[in-house]
Amino acid sequence: EVQLQASGGGLVQAGGSLRLSCAASGFTFRDYAIGWFRQAPGKDREAISCISIKDGRTYYADSVQGRFTISSDNAKNTVHLQMNSLKPADTAVYYCAASRYATGSSQVGAYQYWGQGTQVTVSS
């Protein structure tokens, strides 16, 4: 059974940091890309970062470039998203997802498996 378990969300003040983790199981981790998405109330789900487990290539949305860092711990089948300099606009439910397109994608439809989401709230 494929499982993606997202964790690490919480309440933080603007300028603070959080580290999200996505623990994966039930599939061959190295053959997939892992993406992080977020969805704020009333808005579409947007891709913010992804990483190709096979070759380490990464993608960042313009809105998080320079503030967020994605990394993978292949020994633990886990992907982390380090979020620094957080802004109130970063408030959303954050989801991790796995894509068979091993090079990664920013498209929601490219991801076959989704975790349950973790809430990130940034206060001003």
Side-chain angles (χ1 to χ4, degrees):
E1 179 187 5
V2 172
Q3 288 191 336
L4 293 168
Q5 183 71 40
S7 62
L11 173 63
V12 64
Q13 288 187 329
S17 299
L18 284 173
R19 188 192 195 207
L20 304 184
S21 297
C22 177
S25 62
F27 59 95
T28 305
F29 190 65
R30 65 179 180 273
D31 289 341
Y32 281 69
I34 302 295
W36 282 99
F37 295 75
R38 67 186 181 189
Q39 189 165 19
K43 294 188 176 181
D44 292 336
R45 189 168 298 189
E46 62 168 337
I48 54 173
S49 185
C50 72
I51 185 167
S52 168
I53 303 303
K54 183 169 292 186
D55 62 18
R57 280 186 286 178
T58 58
Y59 157 85
Y60 296 96
D62 290 344
S63 58
V64 305
Q65 179 76 47
R67 299 188 297 124
F68 291 11
T69 302
I70 192 169
S71 62
S72 67
D73 182 343
N74 294 354
K76 296 182 179 180
N77 286 8
T78 300
V79 169
H80 301 289
L81 185 69
Q82 179 66 42
M83 306 188 297
N84 298 330
S85 303
L86 284 162
K87 307 173 182 179
D90 295 317
T91 295
V93 178
Y94 283 67
Y95 300 89
C96 63
S99 172
R100 295 192 193 98
Y101 298 101
T103 56
S105 172
S106 62
Q107 303 300 310
V108 171
Y111 290 80
Q112 292 76 41
Y113 307 113
W114 291 83
Q116 84 288 2
T118 184
Q119 176 70 46
V120 172
T121 303
V122 184
S123 62
S124 57

